[in-house]
Amino acid sequence: MEETERMEPFLKVEDLTVQYTAGGEVIKAVNKVSFTLSKGETIGLVGETGAGKTTIVKSILRILPDPPAKIKSGTITFKGQELLSLSEHQMRKIRGSQISMIFQDPMTALNPVFTVGEQILEALRLHRKMSKKEAYTKVCEMLEMVGIPAERYGEYPHQFSGGMKQRVVIAMALSCNPALLLADEPTTALDVTIQAQVLHMMNRLKKELGTSVIMITHDLGIVAEVCDRVAVVYAGEIVEMGDKVHLFDHGLHPYTEGLFHSIPSLTGDETRLKPIKGLPPNPADLPKGCKFAPRCPYASEVCREAPVLLREAEPGHFVRCIKKLAADIKTDMTGKKDKGIDIAAAENRPQGSATDFIKRSRAAREVE
């Protein structure tokens, strides 16, 4: 892959705002989220449950239920096409073919009245124009790839365990070799052996086909092994974003710091973990200023007064925290000049390096 091609914005999400209406309340699920993704690149979205990660990726595929969900503003540009302006008929040609999604809950992702083989075969015949025989052969290959015997092609979802259903969903998403793969916790229900196979296939797709991936996961070992960049999501906002070395070795935002302190270390001397105190804010009643301020050990009144912008600490490393601001000038996500961030305080912070997390992740699979 040419370096110039990799650097082009393959996917661009800009100022995405999504709200839900429920019980007379407006739930502010995603608030002006912006990021880009290059061809062949993988970005990981991490954060607590309810942060808005799944809503972001479902907005890209345009499968949010309307009502109650509503994309209030923003643009999503994929390969030069503005997805939010396309008709439903045009989006159907993109879903499954160019953009696929591995859903978090396989129980609701599969149709109970069709066999698993038929559900994978449908996408191949629709998007790849294969004959029934060619599609059948491909489906059998995909089932074997995720650890399901091809003989189970004719069985129904209720005949599979939760983990086996997840494998079927993964096989379905990867069957058409999509240009963009949206993976919502794809390995959560899988044993470590199948996890390794799935991660290997994702990496193969990246290398051979230039597939771009948005990975939602709580496993920082997978993030370190698979992702090129990481975006930390909190209360519907990206609070920190950069390549995995930035995030693992020099994470700046207090929430990022809290995530790493909540993970046990195999080499450290700590006897107790340091969980993040408190709970995420009510998305129907978000704080006026920094969304993390009520839980932040460094917060002051200035943090609570006004919204905090996402600013650049060093090239490609953005953070949303005014307490880290220094006197030198940097740029924000829009290219405007603004105050930068003092990263010196983060240099000696005890965090796990990306290399350590990769070793631990691989070691766990080797033990199994």
Side-chain angles (χ1 to χ4, degrees):
M1 183 188 305
E2 295 293 335
E3 188 66 23
T4 54
E5 182 183 358
R6 181 180 174 84
M7 296 307 293
E8 292 177 358
F10 180 72
L11 174 75
K12 184 177 182 180
V13 177
E14 195 167 20
D15 291 333
L16 179 65
T17 299
V18 183
Q19 297 179 354
Y20 294 86
T21 303
E25 290 186 322
V26 176
I27 310 299
K28 299 174 182 177
V30 177
N31 305 296
K32 292 188 176 298
V33 164
S34 298
F35 64 91
T36 60
L37 185 66
S38 300
K39 185 172 177 59
E41 184 182 34
T42 297
I43 186 171
L45 302 183
V46 300
E48 292 169 280
T49 298
K53 305 182 297 297
T54 299
T55 297
I56 292 171
V57 296
K58 284 188 173 182
S59 298
I60 295 171
L61 206 54
R62 278 184 50 190
I63 55 172
L64 289 171
D66 183 7
K70 192 74 174 179
I71 298 177
K72 302 296 290 185
S73 63
T75 60
I76 301 173
T77 306
F78 171 68
K79 296 171 68 174
Q81 282 187 306
E82 213 294 287
L83 297 184
L84 299 183
S85 64
L86 297 181
S87 67
E88 180 61 23
H89 177 71
Q90 291 171 313
M91 278 302 302
R92 285 182 179 178
K93 294 182 179 180
I94 294 175
R95 296 190 194 111
S97 175
Q98 298 185 55
I99 305 176
S100 288
M101 183 167 179
I102 300 173
F103 292 91
Q104 181 179 0
D105 184 7
M107 305 291 288
T108 58
L110 296 172
N111 191 323
V113 301
F114 291 100
T115 67
V116 296
E118 289 174 331
Q119 295 184 58
I120 302 173
L121 182 140
E122 179 186 25
L124 289 168
R125 297 207 66 189
L126 178 64
H127 297 297
R128 293 292 177 257
K129 308 301 180 184
M130 291 181 173
S131 67
K132 192 169 184 178
K133 183 178 180 180
E134 290 173 332
Y136 174 80
T137 301
K138 178 66 173 177
V139 171
C140 291
E141 291 175 0
M142 295 304 299
L143 289 174
E144 293 283 355
M145 183 275 297
V146 294
I148 299 175
E151 293 77 20
R152 303 195 69 178
Y153 174 100
E155 295 185 12
Y156 291 86
H158 72 271
Q159 296 175 278
F160 291 79
S161 66
M164 295 290 271
K165 288 188 183 78
Q166 183 73 325
R167 299 185 200 188
V168 172
V169 172
I170 291 169
M172 189 184 304
L174 298 179
S175 61
C176 290
N177 294 333
L180 174 60
L181 179 64
L182 311 175
D184 190 356
E185 299 190 40
T187 60
T188 300
L190 305 179
D191 59 72
V192 290
T193 304
I194 301 301
Q195 276 188 29
Q197 293 176 11
V198 171
L199 295 177
H200 175 74
M201 164 149 278
M202 288 183 178
N203 283 327
R204 184 180 66 79
L205 285 172
K206 283 177 59 178
K207 292 177 181 178
E208 295 181 4
L209 304 174
T211 303
S212 301
V213 182
I214 299 179
M215 171 81 74
I216 296 176
T217 181
H218 296 286
D219 188 335
L220 290 175
I222 290 177
V223 171
E225 187 166 354
V226 175
C227 299
D228 302 303
R229 290 191 298 134
V230 187
V232 181
V233 184
Y234 184 80
E237 296 179 336
I238 292 177
V239 296
E240 187 164 8
M241 180 167 59
D243 67 39
K244 60 187 176 187
V245 175
H246 285 149
L247 268 292
F248 281 77
D249 296 345
H250 305 295
L252 293 171
H253 197 279
Y255 181 60
T256 306
E257 178 182 335
L259 290 178
F260 280 99
H261 282 158
S262 300
I263 300 171
S265 172
L266 299 180
T267 57
D269 298 327
E270 297 85 357
T271 57
R272 296 183 65 86
L273 298 179
K274 299 176 182 178
I276 303 173
K277 295 181 179 180
L279 296 172
N282 179 0
D285 185 24
L286 292 173
K288 179 181 177 182
C290 174
K291 308 299 184 291
F292 188 63
R295 307 173 70 186
C296 181
Y298 312 114
S300 62
E301 283 305 311
V302 67
C303 301
R304 302 179 176 91
E305 290 176 356
V308 181
L309 298 177
L310 194 64
R311 294 163 176 158
E312 191 172 38
E314 54 185 321
H317 186 185
F318 295 86
V319 67
R320 192 186 300 271
C321 182
I322 60 177
K323 297 296 286 185
K324 300 291 184 179
L325 294 180
D328 56 311
I329 302 298
K330 299 291 182 181
T331 58
D332 66 14
M333 287 290 286
T334 64
K336 298 176 182 178
K337 287 191 174 182
D338 210 327
K339 289 184 177 180
I341 297 157
D342 180 11
I343 65 171
E347 294 292 338
N348 297 318
R349 184 181 301 138
Q351 295 183 3
S353 71
T355 302
D356 291 339
F357 274 92
I358 291 173
K359 288 179 180 178
R360 287 158 58 179
S361 180
R362 290 177 177 172
R365 290 196 285 272
E366 288 173 0
V367 169
E368 290 289 328

